[in-house]
Amino acid sequence: MTTYKGDATLLIEDGRKFDTEADLTKDSSGSWRGTLTFRDATLFRALLNVGDGHLLVGGKVGEFIRPDTSDWTANSAGPGVMRILGSGEAPF
């Protein structure tokens, strides 16, 4: 199993970019998944319904889906965390 924990950039459909902390794992079959943590609680509304997107890690891009948009955890003090499921080659 391969892991990555560090800085990443979330790219969403409308072209906006958001800095995030990624905690990702990839298994021997190449499937990958993980969580994205957003320290800025004001991003909650902008990211609430994101169902898919791209994740940029060190110059490599990976596509993902977010199978459950109700999994978002956030409070006024932050951070917000979302779970993602990789779709295709991992960006790490």
Side-chain angles (χ1 to χ4, degrees):
M1 184 174 292
T2 305
T3 62
Y4 173 81
K5 188 168 186 166
D7 294 337
T9 302
L10 170 65
L11 311 169
I12 61 174
E13 188 175 296
D14 66 6
R16 289 183 289 169
K17 300 177 182 182
F18 301 93
D19 292 332
T20 184
E21 295 172 25
D23 188 356
L24 309 170
T25 60
K26 178 173 59 172
D27 63 24
S28 60
S29 72
S31 295
W32 63 283
R33 66 185 66 237
T35 59
L36 304 178
T37 301
F38 300 89
R39 299 284 172 201
D40 183 352
T42 64
L43 297 177
F44 178 74
R45 290 183 194 267
L47 299 173
L48 181 63
N49 293 315
V50 170
D52 59 23
H54 293 84
L55 190 64
L56 182 63
V57 176
K60 291 183 66 178
V61 177
E63 293 182 47
F64 71 87
I65 60 169
R66 186 170 165 219
D68 182 5
T69 57
S70 68
D71 74 342
W72 183 267
T73 60
N75 59 52
S76 59
V81 179
M82 70 167 66
R83 288 179 179 79
I84 61 170
L85 181 60
S87 175
E89 193 169 330
F92 61 98

